[in-house]
Amino acid sequence: MLTSFGESHGPAMGGVLDGMPAGVTVDMDLLQQFVDRRRPGQTIGTSTRNEQDVVEVLSGILHGKTLGTPIGFIVRNTDARSEDYDQITKCYRPNHADFTWQEKYGIYDSRGSGRASARETVARVVAGGIALQALSTLGITVEAHVSQVGKESDENVVAKAIADAQSDGDTLGGVISCTIKGVPAGLGEPVFGKLHAQLAAAMMSIPSVHGFEYGGGFNMATRRGSEVMDQFIKREDGSIGTLTNHSGGIQGGISNGEDITMRIAFKPVPTLMRDVPSIDHDGNPVTLHPRGRHDVCVLHRALPVVEAMAALVILDNYLIKKTNHL
Amino acid sequence: MLTSFGESHGPAMGGVLDGMPAGVTVDMDLLQQFVDRRRPGQTIGTSTRNEQDVVEVLSGILHGKTLGTPIGFIVRNTDARSEDYDQITKCYRPNHADFTWQEKYGIYDSRGSGRASARETVARVVAGGIALQALSTLGITVEAHVSQVGKESDENVVAKAIADAQSDGDTLGGVISCTIKGVPAGLGEPVFGKLHAQLAAAMMSIPSVHGFEYGGGFNMATRRGSEVMDQFIKREDGSIGTLTNHSGGIQGGISNGEDITMRIAFKPVPTLMRDVPSIDHDGNPVTLHPRGRHDVCVLHRALPVVEAMAALVILDNYLIKKTNHL
Amino acid sequence: MLTSFGESHGPAMGGVLDGMPAGVTVDMDLLQQFVDRRRPGQTIGTSTRNEQDVVEVLSGILHGKTLGTPIGFIVRNTDARSEDYDQITKCYRPNHADFTWQEKYGIYDSRGSGRASARETVARVVAGGIALQALSTLGITVEAHVSQVGKESDENVVAKAIADAQSDGDTLGGVISCTIKGVPAGLGEPVFGKLHAQLAAAMMSIPSVHGFEYGGGFNMATRRGSEVMDQFIKREDGSIGTLTNHSGGIQGGISNGEDITMRIAFKPVPTLMRDVPSIDHDGNPVTLHPRGRHDVCVLHRALPVVEAMAALVILDNYLIKKTNHL
Amino acid sequence: MLTSFGESHGPAMGGVLDGMPAGVTVDMDLLQQFVDRRRPGQTIGTSTRNEQDVVEVLSGILHGKTLGTPIGFIVRNTDARSEDYDQITKCYRPNHADFTWQEKYGIYDSRGSGRASARETVARVVAGGIALQALSTLGITVEAHVSQVGKESDENVVAKAIADAQSDGDTLGGVISCTIKGVPAGLGEPVFGKLHAQLAAAMMSIPSVHGFEYGGGFNMATRRGSEVMDQFIKREDGSIGTLTNHSGGIQGGISNGEDITMRIAFKPVPTLMRDVPSIDHDGNPVTLHPRGRHDVCVLHRALPVVEAMAALVILDNYLIKKTNHL
């Protein structure tokens, strides 16, 4: 289980990964590389905020092996420029969390969106990166890719779409597709904790996500039962599988051994690089002149976040499965 | 929190609703009417299994008021015909949970799909029906409707689509749209427990659901940021709201006071009324001749289930909100 | 995990035992016998309320084997005489929960103490009885006995002490000692979830319990370190053990393979068979004339409750242990 | 809820305090002073390990006020001397956790006992110190004192008892008494989560604790019901209280507004400053020559730990109480 903490412009982001089995090899270089995939400035249209995101593991790993104890870690915030946020401390930015946090807590660290910043996902990536290494020893892999940016699903025109939006001071959303391979049959809690329900909660908790589907998804709702039936077969190696995979690797909330497939929809980045009308805390109209350093499209940076969350869910369920028998 | 139990052909389904506040008025007739909406045989294309689904509350309510103690309840199974399921005890039905449950537990009550039967949703409806009554005293309402059956979203042709599928021995899925009105701003846990993440988990845990989206959803991923911006306004009554609602009533994982909107995709019913090829537990090819009593389309019966799950999530978060300040 | 429900004078007590592994043999006769040990009227000084306490399992067990699904069960309340409690609906009985429940919930089912009645322990005994059967297949046994009644620890004089108290319209408490044998080394979560902390919480949650100690307990606090050192030895069979067992089978919160020993202190039954001064809900002085049917000493009836709670804790930790390695 | 992490000789100890209400004033100087009470070297017979234990709050507090977000914090380990522990990496120290951790995890950071070190309690004290400040604004105070060291309860002779034990290379345990004042009536979950059951779990989770009692405790088990009856009275200010407090401020698992009283038994420190017989990991007999820097008696250092744990439990239940009504 991951517990995380940190405000965007506080001293550090961090987390505690609890319940990780003992004796798992963790390659710290590999982990840092995985975390680096989430850093901005690596692809067109991403923020120029330059965080090195150096992972400091404070506990739970000794000589490259997990101890079974909680893995505490931090990632320092080193490039925060709070002055960019002076205006917003008194205004509500549209499609942001300023208003709702103020309503919930009555107090809000608006610098860089504070805890509401997508910077919190760095903790997910650290923890998920460790989970991924554990899963890989079990032959389980997770791979996410950007399958759509705005209306474009052809990767050759995606870069242009982003450049166009950027030149308009506008932003884009899109869809990430994720496939988990090598999951053994039998994982998932079949009523409230269906494997896809856990995956949905994990993915929907990523900032900007507005939709989730697995297997045939929303399109499956338009088909007849006879069109989406995954026929069981016995393979030559004696294992049981299905000829097609409309079920997305999960039946009745439990993995069936086929690839687990899902799609995650991200809304466009809410911060535009143009003047935007809004109101201040007293309800007076204002015009926002966004400064800060913001992404035009976060999809590519979100890939390791999606993979991390998938890994945490699958590893949890792999461990729970062990308790199904005495 | 709802804990539930029950196999389709066992003596009873039931549950325990824990943490319900004390002093809430529960109208048992209203509750029974709500539960009755889930019963089969009320609309075209639903099972002819005739369960009366009489709710027996065993604790937690006295003289029509909640005591603050756990509300234990059961609903007897009275019309189970286990003989219809003789064949499937040795075979795996496609798109069903037979295989995955066997893999997970090594033992499976296949009569009527046992615990994997959608009959388990009766417990959700009982508990959610109580939550709905609590919410209504707070001015919060939940309304779900069938917005799509198969490819049809025009309700005038939906009945025909179902009849056509039925005459072909085939089945249909569809989409349910749900709106929650009157939710105050400030509900939801903003990182892992975002309000829409909780709603997604709740909805995805309903049998047959393959997709979830809120607000603009998957369509929002195709739009530019400037097109989906919900501008803040101060209303005449002094409250703050938004001009549009692409955010679906939730920003940063926290309710903003606007209507919460979501769409839930259901796959077609997996049991066809025609011969279907499959394999038995030894992997030998078999032809399934489904008998039993099955729905062609479950969307209408699922409406109270969707409303119930929404109510449980909203009430939970309403209570948690009280702990945000000393 | 056990979830329970039920008020003393409602229709039934019950519970849901979740997470029980699949394929465990449950002997229902043995279970009923275990539950019967908790019934009143079997030893001197216990209530004459005559509940048959017939266990009805509603789910989770088929053909004598657990399915891995939630085990729902009820025990009907058949001998409730609510008229005995007319006076107390308006008064606070000393050392009872009347006042505190009223303060917490603002509403209280005072008939037979409602949910605050020790009758709730019947659900613990049902669930724990199943856990005990699972543990016995692993060679783990739990045995509790009354080691002290009032000031007496000699069982030959205990009956007389109870009879004396009864003739005085008074009541007695005492101490139950419990030993768990056969627990493998390595069970328990070593920081907040120390095995003895879990056992303490479980035992202290039993009605009337005022103290818990394990191993040397309070007496150990009076000894020097050199006097209570459990020296490690290698036994002839190659296993590692300790020469003495001041640690009570738990070191650093984790079982070490020795017998787990603990002692649980019960206060005297609060309801006296004599007039007692108190106040009513308006604070006016009243004299209570207890009627009802009450125990003089509950220690013997509490034995299966202690064993049940111990079994639930040990089984939980046995399962969690499986997740310590991939 | 507190999540903690850290091994004794790793880079840092730390934790995340989740669910703390927003807007609570935290005085960092006061917090540091509270944490300093736990440091060694302040009273006779405590370790000479010289940790400054500087609290670094990384999130959740801004300008001296809680934000409602997780409070992440670390305390660096600066004075670790791992070379003192060379021998024990291959041996099992009696009454320590070396053997049980090895059995549970198959891997163990034995330097300074790793995660099993009482050094983990520094995270409890940081989190509990914040909770205490929150409680004090509600008029709730927690006070613990050493009521017994070894066989001595006269504080004038306690220092001599410790000096004597130290000169013998021996150690002592004792009893801490703790009183919580100002708790309103109505706190605690009345069945499994009784307030005293939660307090018991919290206290029993502190290293070296072997016993817990509240109110009359084990002594109450020796009394007749008529001797320990806490008579209800209406006070002049109109509030309801009890004349005596054998119940220790808790009835039926719920606070009744009287002082909550409890006693916690600590075993003697396991590490003696003399040669001790044991075995190595292969089961061969060895003689341990303890070095390291160890306490003779930890009772005084444990006082803030007890107060911290009490504060965390009471604050949790104070918040939960808010959810008992709509």
Side-chain angles (χ1 to χ4, degrees):
Chain A
M1 200 189 71
L2 172 61
T3 303
S4 78
F5 62 86
E7 277 79 46
S8 179
H9 287 215
M13 314 306 287
V16 187
L17 181 60
D18 230 319
M20 178 63 52
V24 176
T25 300
V26 180
D27 181 323
M28 288 304 298
D29 293 334
L30 215 59
L31 180 61
Q32 185 66 55
Q33 286 166 34
F34 182 69
V35 173
D36 288 347
R37 282 178 56 201
R38 191 201 144 276
R39 285 178 51 210
Q42 303 189 119
T43 47
I44 181 176
T46 53
S47 162
T48 58
R49 178 169 169 173
N50 185 18
E51 290 288 2
Q52 291 304 319
D53 286 351
V54 178
V55 179
E56 288 178 60
V57 170
L58 300 177
S59 68
I61 299 178
L62 187 68
H63 306 320
K65 292 232 181 238
T66 58
L67 291 165
T69 58
I71 301 175
F73 59 87
I74 58 173
V75 174
R76 294 275 172 191
N77 295 326
T78 57
D79 191 34
R81 296 190 199 156
S82 301
E83 65 274 19
D84 287 342
Y85 295 88
D86 281 355
Q87 185 188 32
I88 63 167
T89 60
K90 306 184 199 76
C91 302
Y92 296 130
R93 292 168 299 163
N95 290 28
H96 273 276
D98 305 338
F99 171 68
T100 55
W101 278 65
Q102 187 68 35
E103 288 290 305
K104 182 174 177 68
Y105 295 112
I107 187 174
Y108 178 51
D109 177 10
S110 57
R111 302 168 307 153
S113 298
R115 181 81 183 135
S117 168
R119 183 149 177 73
E120 60 89 353
T121 59
V122 73
R124 304 180 190 232
V125 174
V126 174
I130 297 170
L132 279 167
Q133 294 196 23
L135 289 178
S136 83
T137 70
L138 301 167
I140 300 171
T141 60
V142 183
E143 189 270 341
H145 67 277
V146 177
S147 53
Q148 188 181 315
V149 170
K151 293 182 167 65
E152 305 297 340
S153 52
D154 177 346
E155 65 184 67
N156 296 314
V157 295
V158 158
K160 182 174 176 336
I162 294 175
D164 286 353
Q166 188 162 26
S167 71
D168 294 345
D170 217 327
T171 60
L172 291 171
V175 174
I176 287 177
S177 296
C178 182
T179 303
I180 315 172
K181 290 177 185 289
V183 178
L187 269 54
E189 295 301 291
V191 180
F192 298 112
K194 287 186 168 72
L195 190 56
H196 54 264
Q198 293 183 52
L199 287 165
M203 297 308 159
M204 298 296 295
S205 79
I206 299 173
S208 290
V209 173
H210 260 259
F212 173 90
E213 60 183 14
Y214 80 102
F218 274 87
N219 182 51
M220 202 162 173
T222 68
R223 313 284 292 279
R224 281 186 161 194
S226 60
E227 297 174 296
V228 294
M229 189 178 298
D230 295 323
Q231 191 183 328
F232 281 109
I233 50 159
K234 185 174 189 175
R235 297 202 197 84
E236 292 195 359
D237 66 0
S239 67
I240 288 172
T242 60
L243 271 178
T244 51
N245 190 19
H246 302 285
S247 299
I250 302 172
Q251 291 178 322
I254 305 173
S255 63
N256 69 356
E258 301 295 317
D259 290 355
I260 293 175
T261 62
M262 51 195 168
R263 295 175 77 246
I264 302 119
F266 287 72
K267 71 173 183 180
V269 170
T271 304
L272 307 190
M273 282 300 121
R274 53 166 86 162
D275 285 0
V276 163
S278 192
I279 58 174
D280 65 17
H281 287 202
D282 299 320
N284 302 313
V286 296
T287 299
L288 295 174
H289 316 286
R291 285 180 293 181
R293 292 156 294 174
H294 298 283
D295 301 279
V296 175
C297 174
V298 296
L299 276 282
H300 295 88
R301 291 184 60 194
L303 291 173
V305 184
V306 165
E307 293 176 359
M309 294 307 290
L312 289 168
V313 169
I314 298 298
L315 184 55
D316 268 0
N317 284 277
Y318 182 87
L319 295 172
I320 291 168
K321 171 72 167 68
K322 289 171 169 271
T323 69
N324 289 142
H325 293 90
L326 272 186
Chain B
M1 200 188 71
L2 172 62
T3 302
S4 79
F5 62 85
E7 277 79 47
S8 178
H9 288 215
M13 314 306 287
V16 186
L17 181 60
D18 229 319
M20 177 64 50
V24 176
T25 300
V26 180
D27 181 324
M28 289 303 299
D29 292 334
L30 216 59
L31 180 61
Q32 185 66 56
Q33 286 166 33
F34 183 70
V35 173
D36 288 347
R37 282 178 56 201
R38 189 202 146 275
R39 285 178 52 209
Q42 304 189 118
T43 47
I44 181 175
T46 53
S47 163
T48 58
R49 178 168 170 172
N50 185 19
E51 290 288 3
Q52 291 304 320
D53 286 351
V54 177
V55 179
E56 288 179 58
V57 169
L58 300 176
S59 67
I61 299 178
L62 187 68
H63 306 320
K65 293 232 182 237
T66 58
L67 291 166
T69 58
I71 301 174
F73 59 86
I74 59 173
V75 175
R76 295 275 170 191
N77 296 325
T78 57
D79 190 34
R81 297 192 198 154
S82 301
E83 65 276 19
D84 286 342
Y85 295 89
D86 281 356
Q87 185 186 33
I88 63 170
T89 60
K90 307 184 197 80
C91 302
Y92 297 129
R93 291 168 299 163
N95 291 30
H96 272 277
D98 305 339
F99 171 69
T100 55
W101 278 66
Q102 187 67 36
E103 287 291 305
K104 182 173 176 69
Y105 295 111
I107 185 174
Y108 178 51
D109 176 10
S110 57
R111 302 168 306 153
S113 298
R115 180 82 184 133
S117 167
R119 182 148 177 73
E120 59 91 351
T121 59
V122 73
R124 304 180 190 233
V125 174
V126 175
I130 297 170
L132 279 167
Q133 294 196 23
L135 290 178
S136 82
T137 70
L138 301 166
I140 301 171
T141 59
V142 183
E143 189 270 340
H145 67 276
V146 179
S147 51
Q148 188 181 314
V149 170
K151 291 182 169 65
E152 305 298 340
S153 50
D154 177 347
E155 64 184 68
N156 296 313
V157 296
V158 159
K160 182 176 178 335
I162 294 176
D164 287 352
Q166 189 162 25
S167 71
D168 295 346
D170 216 329
T171 60
L172 290 170
V175 175
I176 287 178
S177 297
C178 181
T179 302
I180 315 172
K181 290 177 185 289
V183 178
L187 269 55
E189 295 301 290
V191 180
F192 298 112
K194 287 185 169 73
L195 189 56
H196 54 264
Q198 293 182 52
L199 287 166
M203 297 306 160
M204 299 295 295
S205 79
I206 299 172
S208 291
V209 173
H210 260 259
F212 173 90
E213 60 183 13
Y214 80 102
F218 274 87
N219 181 51
M220 201 163 173
T222 69
R223 314 285 291 280
R224 280 186 162 193
S226 59
E227 298 174 296
V228 294
M229 189 177 299
D230 294 324
Q231 191 183 328
F232 281 109
I233 49 159
K234 185 174 189 173
R235 297 202 197 84
E236 292 195 359
D237 66 0
S239 68
I240 288 173
T242 60
L243 272 178
T244 51
N245 189 18
H246 302 284
S247 299
I250 302 172
Q251 292 179 322
I254 305 173
S255 63
N256 69 356
E258 301 294 319
D259 290 354
I260 294 175
T261 62
M262 51 195 168
R263 294 175 77 246
I264 302 119
F266 287 71
K267 70 172 183 181
V269 171
T271 304
L272 307 189
M273 281 300 121
R274 52 166 87 163
D275 285 1
V276 163
S278 191
I279 59 175
D280 65 17
H281 286 202
D282 299 321
N284 301 314
V286 295
T287 298
L288 295 174
H289 316 287
R291 283 179 294 181
R293 293 155 293 174
H294 299 283
D295 300 280
V296 176
C297 174
V298 295
L299 275 283
H300 295 87
R301 292 185 59 195
L303 291 173
V305 184
V306 166
E307 293 177 359
M309 294 308 289
L312 289 168
V313 170
I314 297 298
L315 184 55
D316 268 359
N317 284 276
Y318 181 87
L319 295 172
I320 290 169
K321 171 72 167 67
K322 290 169 168 273
T323 70
N324 289 143
H325 293 91
L326 273 186
Chain C
M1 199 189 70
L2 171 62
T3 303
S4 78
F5 63 85
E7 278 79 47
S8 179
H9 288 214
M13 316 304 290
V16 187
L17 181 60
D18 229 319
M20 178 63 52
V24 176
T25 301
V26 179
D27 181 323
M28 288 304 298
D29 292 335
L30 215 59
L31 179 61
Q32 186 65 56
Q33 285 166 33
F34 182 68
V35 172
D36 288 346
R37 282 177 56 201
R38 189 202 145 276
R39 283 178 53 211
Q42 303 189 116
T43 47
I44 181 174
T46 53
S47 163
T48 58
R49 177 168 170 173
N50 186 19
E51 290 287 4
Q52 290 304 320
D53 286 352
V54 177
V55 180
E56 287 179 59
V57 170
L58 300 176
S59 67
I61 300 178
L62 187 69
H63 306 320
K65 293 235 183 233
T66 58
L67 291 167
T69 58
I71 301 173
F73 59 87
I74 59 172
V75 174
R76 295 274 171 192
N77 295 325
T78 56
D79 191 33
R81 296 188 199 157
S82 301
E83 64 276 19
D84 287 342
Y85 295 88
D86 282 355
Q87 186 187 32
I88 63 169
T89 60
K90 307 184 198 79
C91 302
Y92 296 130
R93 292 168 299 163
N95 291 29
H96 273 276
D98 306 337
F99 171 69
T100 55
W101 278 66
Q102 187 67 36
E103 289 290 305
K104 183 174 176 68
Y105 295 111
I107 186 174
Y108 178 52
D109 176 10
S110 57
R111 301 168 306 153
S113 298
R115 181 81 183 135
S117 167
R119 181 146 179 75
E120 60 90 350
T121 58
V122 73
R124 305 180 189 234
V125 174
V126 174
I130 297 170
L132 278 167
Q133 295 196 23
L135 289 178
S136 82
T137 70
L138 301 167
I140 300 172
T141 59
V142 182
E143 188 270 340
H145 66 276
V146 178
S147 53
Q148 189 181 314
V149 170
K151 292 182 169 65
E152 304 298 340
S153 51
D154 178 347
E155 64 183 66
N156 296 313
V157 295
V158 158
K160 182 174 177 337
I162 294 175
D164 287 352
Q166 187 162 26
S167 70
D168 295 346
D170 217 328
T171 61
L172 290 171
V175 175
I176 288 178
S177 297
C178 181
T179 302
I180 314 172
K181 290 177 185 289
V183 178
L187 269 54
E189 294 302 288
V191 180
F192 297 113
K194 287 186 169 73
L195 189 56
H196 54 264
Q198 293 182 52
L199 287 165
M203 297 306 160
M204 297 296 294
S205 79
I206 299 172
S208 291
V209 173
H210 261 260
F212 173 89
E213 60 183 14
Y214 80 101
F218 274 87
N219 182 51
M220 202 162 172
T222 68
R223 314 283 292 279
R224 281 185 160 193
S226 61
E227 297 175 297
V228 294
M229 189 177 299
D230 294 323
Q231 191 182 330
F232 281 109
I233 50 160
K234 186 175 189 174
R235 298 201 197 85
E236 291 195 0
D237 65 1
S239 67
I240 288 173
T242 60
L243 272 179
T244 51
N245 189 19
H246 302 285
S247 299
I250 302 172
Q251 292 179 323
I254 305 171
S255 63
N256 68 357
E258 302 294 318
D259 290 354
I260 294 176
T261 62
M262 51 195 167
R263 296 174 77 246
I264 302 119
F266 287 71
K267 71 172 183 180
V269 171
T271 304
L272 306 190
M273 282 299 121
R274 52 165 88 163
D275 285 1
V276 163
S278 193
I279 58 176
D280 65 18
H281 286 202
D282 300 319
N284 302 313
V286 296
T287 299
L288 297 173
H289 317 285
R291 284 179 292 180
R293 293 155 292 173
H294 299 282
D295 301 280
V296 176
C297 174
V298 295
L299 275 282
H300 295 88
R301 292 184 60 194
L303 291 174
V305 184
V306 165
E307 293 176 0
M309 294 307 289
L312 289 168
V313 170
I314 297 298
L315 183 55
D316 267 0
N317 284 276
Y318 181 87
L319 295 172
I320 291 169
K321 171 71 167 68
K322 289 169 169 273
T323 69
N324 290 142
H325 293 90
L326 274 186
Chain D
M1 198 189 73
L2 172 62
T3 303
S4 79
F5 62 85
E7 278 78 48
S8 178
H9 287 214
M13 315 305 288
V16 187
L17 181 60
D18 230 319
M20 177 64 51
V24 177
T25 300
V26 179
D27 180 323
M28 288 304 298
D29 292 334
L30 214 61
L31 180 62
Q32 186 65 55
Q33 285 166 34
F34 183 69
V35 173
D36 289 347
R37 282 177 57 200
R38 191 202 145 275
R39 284 178 51 210
Q42 303 189 117
T43 47
I44 181 175
T46 53
S47 162
T48 59
R49 177 168 170 173
N50 185 19
E51 290 287 1
Q52 290 304 318
D53 286 352
V54 177
V55 180
E56 287 179 60
V57 169
L58 300 176
S59 68
I61 299 179
L62 187 68
H63 307 320
K65 293 235 182 233
T66 57
L67 291 166
T69 58
I71 301 174
F73 60 86
I74 59 172
V75 174
R76 295 276 171 191
N77 296 324
T78 57
D79 191 34
R81 295 188 199 158
S82 300
E83 66 274 20
D84 288 342
Y85 294 88
D86 282 356
Q87 187 187 32
I88 63 168
T89 61
K90 306 184 199 78
C91 302
Y92 296 129
R93 292 167 300 163
N95 290 28
H96 273 276
D98 306 339
F99 171 69
T100 55
W101 277 66
Q102 187 67 37
E103 288 290 305
K104 181 173 177 67
Y105 295 111
I107 185 173
Y108 179 52
D109 176 9
S110 57
R111 302 167 308 152
S113 298
R115 180 82 183 134
S117 167
R119 182 149 178 73
E120 59 90 351
T121 58
V122 73
R124 305 180 189 233
V125 174
V126 174
I130 296 169
L132 278 167
Q133 294 195 23
L135 289 178
S136 82
T137 70
L138 301 167
I140 300 172
T141 60
V142 182
E143 190 270 340
H145 67 276
V146 178
S147 53
Q148 189 182 314
V149 170
K151 292 182 168 65
E152 305 297 338
S153 52
D154 178 347
E155 64 183 67
N156 296 314
V157 297
V158 159
K160 183 174 177 333
I162 294 175
D164 286 353
Q166 186 162 27
S167 71
D168 295 347
D170 217 328
T171 61
L172 291 171
V175 175
I176 288 178
S177 297
C178 181
T179 302
I180 314 172
K181 289 176 185 289
V183 178
L187 270 54
E189 295 301 291
V191 180
F192 298 112
K194 287 186 169 72
L195 189 56
H196 54 263
Q198 293 183 52
L199 287 165
M203 297 306 160
M204 298 295 294
S205 79
I206 299 173
S208 291
V209 173
H210 260 259
F212 173 90
E213 60 183 14
Y214 81 102
F218 274 87
N219 182 51
M220 201 161 173
T222 67
R223 313 285 290 279
R224 281 186 160 193
S226 60
E227 297 175 297
V228 295
M229 188 177 299
D230 294 323
Q231 190 183 330
F232 281 108
I233 49 160
K234 185 175 188 174
R235 296 201 198 86
E236 291 195 0
D237 65 0
S239 67
I240 288 173
T242 60
L243 272 179
T244 51
N245 189 18
H246 301 285
S247 299
I250 302 172
Q251 291 178 323
I254 304 173
S255 63
N256 68 356
E258 302 294 317
D259 290 354
I260 294 177
T261 62
M262 51 195 169
R263 296 174 76 246
I264 302 120
F266 286 72
K267 71 173 182 180
V269 171
T271 305
L272 307 189
M273 282 299 120
R274 53 165 89 164
D275 285 1
V276 163
S278 193
I279 59 175
D280 64 18
H281 286 201
D282 300 320
N284 302 313
V286 296
T287 299
L288 297 173
H289 316 287
R291 284 179 294 182
R293 293 155 294 174
H294 299 282
D295 301 280
V296 176
C297 174
V298 295
L299 275 282
H300 295 87
R301 291 185 61 194
L303 291 173
V305 184
V306 165
E307 293 176 0
M309 295 307 290
L312 289 167
V313 169
I314 297 298
L315 184 55
D316 268 359
N317 284 276
Y318 181 87
L319 295 172
I320 291 169
K321 171 71 166 69
K322 289 169 169 274
T323 70
N324 289 142
H325 293 89
L326 273 186

